[in-house]
Amino acid sequence: MADLRLWYDKPAKNWDEALPIGNGRIGAMIFGELEKERIPLNEISMFSGYEQDADNPKMFENLAKVRKLLFEDKYVEAQALSEEYMICKGVGTNLGNAADEAYGSYQILGNLNIDFMHKGKVPARYMRELSLDDAIVNVDYEINGIYFSRETFSNAPYNVIVMKVQADARESISMSV
């Protein structure tokens, strides 16, 4: 299978352009800003709806089958299999039969603001990407000949979102959170 990724050559301007990261319980949106990164955070209890049964044990075992059908351009078959096994059991996702249910939506827990102290500096070779294979967001760029890298991922067993910040020159990282 090909390397599956979304990539961009500039920071996101709005929510729709930001890259999501999460583990099903916590989540964040990565904009990839150079000077002032704002990362909206979410946690599963920040939901405006009601408690529901969103588990469907057959979802994972059918994911590979749905992907295979999609890659074979068998969209009707993929849709049918998705509707049979990949829709949650809760009433809020019952194929449109839940119009009278108060389904709700996730809300922002808060913003994590990071000032990277790059004020007024122009980057070279900027790249922001989400690897769909390993669920990692990378933001890479060069400023004044120094290569900076931010790798953000979520870990389900430890229930954390991690951002690893690196530079290829000593004492080049300065930030406030």
Side-chain angles (χ1 to χ4, degrees):
M1 189 181 303
D3 180 32
L4 299 175
R5 66 188 183 107
L6 304 172
W7 63 271
Y8 305 90
D9 61 1
K10 60 185 176 255
K13 291 180 183 171
N14 56 53
W15 180 273
D16 294 333
E17 294 178 1
L19 297 172
I21 201 80
N23 66 14
R25 178 167 175 70
I26 55 175
M29 296 296 281
I30 309 301
F31 284 72
E33 288 290 341
L34 295 177
E35 292 179 28
K36 296 191 180 294
E37 176 73 280
R38 175 184 60 93
I39 302 176
L41 302 170
N42 175 258
E43 195 273 336
I44 197 166
S45 66
M46 295 297 296
F47 186 72
S48 66
Y50 60 94
E51 190 172 331
Q52 65 164 325
D53 180 4
D55 289 334
N56 187 337
K58 297 195 181 271
M59 289 179 85
F60 184 73
E61 65 189 62
N62 285 283
L63 179 60
K65 295 173 192 171
V66 170
R67 284 180 176 163
K68 183 176 184 297
L69 289 169
L70 289 171
F71 283 118
E72 293 171 353
D73 296 329
K74 297 179 179 176
Y75 303 115
V76 173
E77 294 91 337
Q79 179 70 29
L81 191 61
S82 293
E83 288 178 3
E84 184 175 354
Y85 295 112
M86 301 188 77
I87 293 180
C88 301
K89 295 185 303 184
V91 295
T93 56
N94 193 10
L95 296 174
N97 298 327
D100 297 326
E101 298 296 330
Y103 183 66
S105 62
Y106 284 101
Q107 307 297 310
I108 293 175
L109 172 67
N111 291 313
L112 174 64
N113 297 301
I114 306 172
D115 185 345
F116 281 103
M117 313 296 182
H118 295 316
K119 189 166 182 77
K121 297 180 181 170
V122 178
R125 300 186 307 160
Y126 179 93
M127 173 70 72
R128 177 174 55 96
E129 70 177 347
L130 167 60
S131 168
L132 299 175
D133 293 321
D134 55 15
I136 295 175
V137 171
N138 286 300
V139 177
D140 303 314
Y141 53 94
E142 183 180 322
I143 293 180
N144 296 335
I146 300 171
Y147 175 76
F148 293 88
S149 173
R150 298 183 225 155
E151 179 181 88
T152 308
F153 61 92
S154 177
N155 178 285
Y158 291 102
N159 207 28
V160 296
I161 293 175
V162 175
M163 178 183 282
K164 180 180 178 182
V165 180
Q166 299 181 95
D168 67 357
R170 295 177 61 94
E171 300 180 17
S172 299
I173 299 172
S174 180
M175 62 186 191
S176 64
V177 180

